[in-house]
């Protein structure tokens, strides 16, 4: 059962304890309710995908209390400085390169070299960030494919029993998700229209583009997937490594002492390890990475989706 917590000092402290322990807690922001996890905890982040029943690893937004905290996670540039100055706290998410010593889980980035960061404009969200003392990764708190929740009751409708708690902060004032702007490339690009309008953004960075030239047609999420692919070719459903290959194994029947996504065949653990292990193996300059079969159930679908994309990139 999911605990419904009042947005009191006590409720906030309880939600923060859950987050620090690696459990999931939903919390209000001015846009929509977020499904929060400790962004530095791979397992907690993997649990977000389980709770949402997401068939794919979409990258997640990391919520922080202020710009200086965001700067520990991503490298700012002049456009990012201007947008943060103009719109934070608020309904604007900035996609920027991960810092060298970024503590945020690679699963949050879904394998990309960037992190999306946002400073929400909501008292309860800030109190929770303070009490937790960690950056909080949070997609909208709805099961995959359903609409974003703007009340604690909506969150309960979709996720009751799947998360530890929901902090009830009443109705969200903005009611639509944040605008997402990618500042990691040579030109700033609007990825998702949202709470802050394209026109308002243009006033601050006139060079802002939309991929299609229209703010109504943002880059499809699928396009993001191409950003990350290992340099080393991937071979899927392999039982052993061939000469020159390194093995990414799964389950107790590991034929070697290679990296194992989950020796106990636990898919949440495998998801938590996936991106970090792929990167490790990619750095070996091996002829190939052979990946053992992963069952196509639960989180296995998202893991296999990502592996197939990496194999065909
Ligand atoms: O208002 C909001 O943005 C809410 C509240 C909870 O903050 N969150 C939210 O998260 O809508 P979600 O996961 O439902 O949407 C995140 C969006 C997706 O379109 C995702 O593709 C994009 O942000 N995104 C996240 N990280 C990214 C990255 N590193 N690069 C490109 N896009 C990213
Ligand atoms: Mg969403």
């Amino acid at each position: 059962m999911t605990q419904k917590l009042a947005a009191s000092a006590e409720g906030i402290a309880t939600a923060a304890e859950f987050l620090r322990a690696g459990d999931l807690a939903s919390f209000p922001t001015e846009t929509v309710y977020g499904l929060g996890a400790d962004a530095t905890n791979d397992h907690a982040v993997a649990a977000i995908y389980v709770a949402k029943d997401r068939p794919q690893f979409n990258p997640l937004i990391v919520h922080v209390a202020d710009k200086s905290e965001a700067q520990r996670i991503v490298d700012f540039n002049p456009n990012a400085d201007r947008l943060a100055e103009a719109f934070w706290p608020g309904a604007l998410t900035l996609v920027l390169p991960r810092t060298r010593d970024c503590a945020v889980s690679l699963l949050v980035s879904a394998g990309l070299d960037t992190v999306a960061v946002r400073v929400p404009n909501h008292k309860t969200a800030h109190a929770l960030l303070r009490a937790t003392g960690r950056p909080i990764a949070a997609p909208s708190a709805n099961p995959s494919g359903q609409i974003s929740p703007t009340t604690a009751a909506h969150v309960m409708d979709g996720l009751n029993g799947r998360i530890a708690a929901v902090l009830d902060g009443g109705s969200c004032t903005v009611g639509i998700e944040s605008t997402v702007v990618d500042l990691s490339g040579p030109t700033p690009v609007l990825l998702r229209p949202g709470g802050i309008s394209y026109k308002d953004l243009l006033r601050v960075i006139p060079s802002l583009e939309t991929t299609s030239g229209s703010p109504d047609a943002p880059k499809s999420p699928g396009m993001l997937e191409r950003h990350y692919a290992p340099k080393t070719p991937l071979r899927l459903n392999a039982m052993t490594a061939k000469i020159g290959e390194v093995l990414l194994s799964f389950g107790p029947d590991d034929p070697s002492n290679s990296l194992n996504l989950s020796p106990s065949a636990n898919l949440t653990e495998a998801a938590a390890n996936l991106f970090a292990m792929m990167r490790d193996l990619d750095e070996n300059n091996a002829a190939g990475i052979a990946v053992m079969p992963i069952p196509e159930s639960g989180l296995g679908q998202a893991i296999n989706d990502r592996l197939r994309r990496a194999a065909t990139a």
Side-chain angles (χ1 to χ4, degrees), residues 32 52 54 58 139-143 145-149 177 192:
V32 300
K52 282 185 73 95
R54 258 198 188 172
N58 297 332
S140 51
N142 50 280
Q146 299 188 18
I147 56 168
S148 298
E177 294 92 340
R192 179 179 75 178

Side-chain angles (χ1 to χ4, degrees), residues 9-286:
E10 199 193 339
I12 288 162
T14 304
E17 268 167 46
F18 280 128
L19 291 175
R20 292 175 63 84
D23 292 324
L24 304 178
S26 176
F27 63 99
T29 79
E30 79 279 33
T31 58
V32 300
Y33 273 71
L35 170 47
D38 174 355
T40 65
N41 179 332
D42 288 325
H43 284 78
V45 174
I48 286 181
Y49 293 97
V50 179
K52 282 185 73 95
D53 222 352
R54 258 198 188 172
Q56 284 186 8
F57 295 125
N58 297 332
L60 305 173
I61 296 173
V62 174
H63 299 73
V64 290
D66 55 36
K67 185 181 168 191
S68 72
E69 276 190 21
Q71 283 172 311
R72 292 161 65 172
I73 296 171
V74 290
D75 290 322
F76 274 63
N77 55 40
N79 279 329
D81 289 335
R82 272 179 223 126
L83 288 175
E85 172 69 23
F87 300 107
W88 278 1
L92 179 66
T93 295
L94 304 179
V95 174
L96 288 162
R98 296 171 68 96
T99 55
R100 263 186 84 83
D101 53 356
C102 181
V104 164
S105 163
L106 286 173
L107 190 55
V108 163
S109 296
L112 301 170
D113 292 320
T114 54
V115 178
V117 288
R118 181 164 99 81
V119 175
N121 185 15
H122 196 286
K123 236 177 55 194
T124 305
H126 276 268
L128 181 65
L129 283 163
R130 245 191 333 272
T132 307
R134 314 253 169 92
I136 300 177
S140 51
N142 50 280
S144 181
Q146 299 188 18
I147 56 168
S148 298
T150 54
T151 65
H154 295 164
V155 176
M156 280 298 215
D157 284 347
L159 297 176
N160 192 7
R162 294 174 165 229
I163 59 178
V166 54
L167 261 178
D168 188 352
S171 295
C172 303
T173 52
V174 175
I176 57 165
E177 294 92 340
S178 63
T179 304
V180 181
V181 174
D182 185 355
L183 299 171
S184 65
T187 341
V189 182
L190 178 77
L191 294 183
R192 179 179 75 178
I196 306 282
S197 76
Y198 181 56
K199 234 178 73 196
D200 286 345
L201 294 171
L202 273 183
R203 269 199 278 274
V204 179
I205 46 169
S207 61
L208 181 64
E209 287 184 0
T210 62
T211 42
S212 65
S214 146
D216 303 322
K219 182 145 79 177
S220 82
M223 290 190 57
L224 297 168
E225 322 300 345
R226 269 188 249 134
H227 284 239
Y228 175 69
K231 304 185 290 290
T232 316
L234 237 69
R235 187 166 63 86
L236 306 184
N237 297 315
M239 295 315 294
T240 54
K242 295 179 182 165
I243 291 167
E245 281 183 340
V246 285
L247 185 70
L248 181 57
S249 44
F250 175 83
D253 303 325
D254 186 349
S256 66
N257 58 352
S258 56
L259 286 183
N260 194 321
L261 287 169
S262 172
S264 62
N266 176 316
L267 290 166
T268 307
E269 181 179 36
N273 287 329
L274 179 66
F275 291 107
M277 289 189 175
M278 281 215 286
R279 279 185 190 240
D280 269 8
L281 292 175
D282 201 18
E283 275 156 25
N284 286 344
N285 295 317

